[in-house]
Amino acid sequence: MTGQTRVTLTAGVATLLGAIPLAGGFAQQRWFGYATIAVAVVTLIGILLRRLRAPAAVTLILQFLGLLVFHTVTFASKVGYGHILPNSRTLSELGTSLSDGLHDIQYLAAPVPARTDIVVLTSLAVGLLAIVVDFIAVSVQRPAVAGLALLALFAVATAVSARTLFFEFAGAGAGYLLLLAVEGRERLVRWGRVVTADDPAGANTEHYVVRTPRHGAAGRVGVAAVAAALIIPMLVPGFTRNVLSTIGHGSSGIGDGPQTLGSGLNPFTQLQGSLQQSKTFPVLSVKSKTKDDPWYLRVTVLDEYTPNGWRRSQAPTRLVPVSKSMPVSDQVKSLQQENHTRSVEATITISGYHDNRLPIYYAPTGVNSGADKDWSYDSASSEIESDKRTTSSGDTYTVTAAEPDPTREELGRSRAIPRQDPMMQRWGQEPIVTAKVQAITKQIILGDKTPYERAQSIDDYFTDGTQGFSYSLQTKSGTSTDALSNFLQQKQGFCEQYASAMAVMLRLAGVPSRVVLGYAQGSYDDKSKSWKVTNHDAHAWVEGYFAGIGWVEFDPTPRDDGHTSQPGWQQATNSPGTTTPSSSAASTAPSSRTSQLPGTTQSQNPLAGGGGPSNGTNSGGSAAPATVGILLGVLALLVVLFLPAVARYRYRRRRYATARGPSPGEAAHACWSEVLATMVDLGIPLLPSESPRGTAARLSGDRDLDPTARTGLSIVALAEERARYAAEAGIDADLSTALRAARAGLLSRTGAWRRIWITVAPPSVLQSIAEAMTRGSARVSAAVSGLGRAVRPGNAHR
């Protein structure tokens, strides 16, 4: 294998290892197989063309064309020439997949499902990165600079993952270090063969290397400093993250800084990030002139359901300028005439919220922001947004609204909306879900005649406490690949899962619905006479549309920690006055309608005796995965512990096989290497200035070997000296038998416990690993030092 081939292969391996952190952003990992093939195509083309001594530019172009052919065959073969070669239709189809993938990544919460469009985007991106790494590391011969491309890939992974990718970083870092080590070795080999005191001819690549002082202190310090930067912050009280978790997460995203729930990153991702923050900080301050407690402040609406979840639709919007007097819908006007609206007037002050959407109350009749010309109102979704500015700390605006406040009787009189109605066409499209979800919904609404009865039954299913649903920021995996089915089976989640599930069920029941994201009312501060809204008040709820009334909110999340509220029409009908699993209703018998829902189980209540969020531990089904995890961990530990012993055994077997081989020189070197390794295992010092026969004489005297062992050791030593210095290697003796006698004699003077120890943890293997790490550290240090010269070419001429 040539040096260029070796470096090309290593560049491909480093790219794949660098792509591993992307796994944290996917729910399924089939993308990695396509990415692996893409990298393999790039690597094989590089090896072939470099064997043919093709110019670097030609190699670069053909690698890109090969990557394109692979994606044509895999994802667009129906429209390609001969189902293989790309054409304009192929490029158009791949372009559509890339566009859809970018759209899905923008609107889906991580981990995203491995849809075809996202897989196409990911495999193509990893393949292009492989081309970049290959070109920089092999063609330009700057492997240290190639690490910047791998770092960019890791930054993308940390930007979409909600956890710290510590072990993934270790794998990606190992790929980068491997690339540096292999390229450094190739540069060293150009100077000639490596020689040592025991191999002055430089002929024995397997010969046991005697430990000599290394000059890799700077490299070791660098590696230790990086490790300390990753590990120490995790051990300091008050630190919950290390340096890895800050890559890709700015202060305005999911972090310890101001929050956004609008049009930036995926809204559900931001919602979960807000709720999971250990630090609580203010977002809004609300001074309300309304007699009753304020309801929820809405920020954005998710109105389109796909197999991957809820997202904002691309439906045309009708924006009107924000003003102190704004129009309301006919339904709200009708409710106003019947005194079934609630007048709201509130002054809102921004503190830690930054977005291009204003939090407002539903059905605003007027907004005074001081910069009204910069804000527009979408009456269809009741949102206020801007394409010119974002909110900043200290901004203040006033909102007046006429929130619908119908009675249960009015809602009960609302009739079903025909399927051909435009309202149903946009907001009531029946979602594509599994048969299990459809069966559960049908059973819940069995016997209900009106849309409101169906909506109330679905709300009761989640909130009346009889079905065992619990609130927790930690969701649990299920037996299905469908997230909604898993949630209905495991019955544990936070507001995203509850709002998403109820909105889907409402549409299945013929009620137009949508998911709304924003903030709950917060807590009242007597001193400032205002409501304080924090990042932990970020919330998701549901709105259902009823003919003659309009949009009405439902909050199906079962919480009793004071962070949510329920309007009068949402009070549970099966267990009046109870809305959470922690109430007494949780221990009562379930209603006849919901006790035998298909595909569900009556789980224990994990919130018994306590308010607030669950800690995520549930008696249902968590013990088995934990046990499996512990067993796998123990098994992995045992494998790691016994790896040195296995390696030592294989080295010994290989040397004995070489001793019986046809080459006298290789046989002598193999036998002497085994003698030296045995000396290291027994703690016998190696003297570089000592000849093989001198070493044999010293061992025979110091270890008081028996005649058979002395003879065997002398034969091996003499064979090694002849292989080194004689014109022709060889000796008239059976080296394999002599080696066995010499090794048996050395071990015979060793105690039982020592022999067990050197079998389980052979020092010769451990020392080889330590020396390999030292050499690698020195190469990394040299590569880092050369990085400055690579990026500042002028310094090389000084």
Side-chain angles (χ1 to χ4, degrees), residues 327-521:
V328 295
S329 65
D330 293 338
Q331 291 86 355
V332 173
K333 288 181 180 178
S334 177
L335 291 174
Q336 283 179 315
Q337 294 172 358
E338 299 174 5
N339 293 323
H340 287 155
T341 60
R342 191 174 77 150
S343 298
V344 175
E345 182 178 355
T347 300
I348 302 173
T349 302
I350 302 292
S351 52
Y353 170 86
H354 297 293
D355 206 334
N356 66 332
R357 297 176 185 271
L358 286 181
I360 60 169
Y361 294 104
Y362 178 67
T365 56
V367 175
N368 182 9
S369 68
D372 294 343
K373 63 180 180 180
D374 294 336
W375 298 97
S376 301
Y377 175 62
D378 179 6
S379 57
S381 58
S382 193
E383 298 176 339
I384 292 181
E385 61 181 274
S386 174
D387 57 0
K388 299 179 181 179
R389 60 169 295 171
T390 60
T391 59
S392 347
S393 182
D395 287 353
T396 300
Y397 58 99
T398 302
V399 178
T400 57
E403 295 178 325
D405 191 17
T407 63
R408 297 166 70 97
E409 290 73 18
E410 287 177 310
L411 287 168
R413 291 193 295 268
S414 177
R415 299 293 94 189
I417 302 175
R419 284 289 177 187
Q420 63 272 19
D421 190 282
M423 175 61 64
M424 291 293 292
Q425 292 297 315
R426 176 173 179 183
W427 311 95
Q429 286 287 344
E430 187 168 306
I432 300 175
V433 295
T434 63
K436 177 187 292 186
V437 175
Q438 292 179 345
I440 293 175
T441 304
K442 289 180 180 179
Q443 186 67 28
I444 291 173
I445 64 176
L446 184 65
D448 293 327
K449 299 179 180 180
T450 68
Y452 173 64
E453 288 178 350
R454 297 169 186 170
Q456 186 62 59
S457 294
I458 294 172
D459 182 71
D460 290 348
Y461 173 69
F462 294 112
T463 63
D464 69 3
T466 63
Q467 295 301 311
F469 282 96
S470 63
Y471 177 85
S472 173
L473 293 177
Q474 302 298 324
T475 56
K476 296 168 61 178
S477 59
T479 58
S480 168
T481 58
D482 180 66
L484 180 55
S485 299
N486 287 339
F487 168 67
L488 296 177
Q489 175 188 10
Q490 299 298 336
K491 302 188 176 185
Q492 178 175 300
F494 66 108
C495 53
E496 171 193 343
Q497 283 76 31
Y498 286 98
S500 299
M502 181 173 180
V504 168
M505 289 181 167
L506 285 177
R507 290 197 177 184
L508 291 175
V511 179
S513 65
R514 60 194 186 186
V515 176
V516 186
L517 272 67
Y519 294 95
Q521 73 270 27

Side-chain angles (χ1 to χ4, degrees), residues 94 113 133 173 195-196 229 231 238 253 262 288 307 309 377 453 479 501 573 579 591 686 769:
L94 290 177
V133 172
V195 297
T196 67
I231 299 173
S288 175
Y377 175 62
E453 288 178 350
T479 58
T573 56
T579 60
S591 64
L686 305 178
I769 294 174

Side-chain angles (χ1 to χ4, degrees), residues 695-773:
T695 301
R698 175 166 60 91
L699 290 177
S700 298
D702 294 346
R703 304 290 291 185
D704 192 19
L705 300 181
D706 59 72
T708 302
R710 286 172 182 263
T711 302
L713 186 57
S714 298
I715 291 172
V716 172
L718 179 60
E720 172 65 13
E721 288 192 354
R722 286 189 178 182
R724 288 188 190 183
Y725 311 120
E728 293 183 4
I731 189 172
D732 188 16
D734 185 353
L735 285 181
S736 176
T737 302
L739 176 60
R740 291 183 186 278
R743 190 169 185 276
L746 291 172
L747 293 175
S748 64
R749 301 297 182 182
T750 305
W753 285 110
R754 175 70 179 179
R755 296 183 67 170
I756 293 174
W757 172 250
I758 63 177
T759 301
V760 175
S764 58
V765 174
L766 299 179
Q767 180 174 311
S768 298
I769 294 174
E771 290 182 342
M773 293 178 64

Side-chain angles (χ1 to χ4, degrees), residues 524-530:
Y524 189 74
D525 180 35
D526 290 323
K527 185 176 180 180
S528 62
K529 304 297 181 183
S530 63

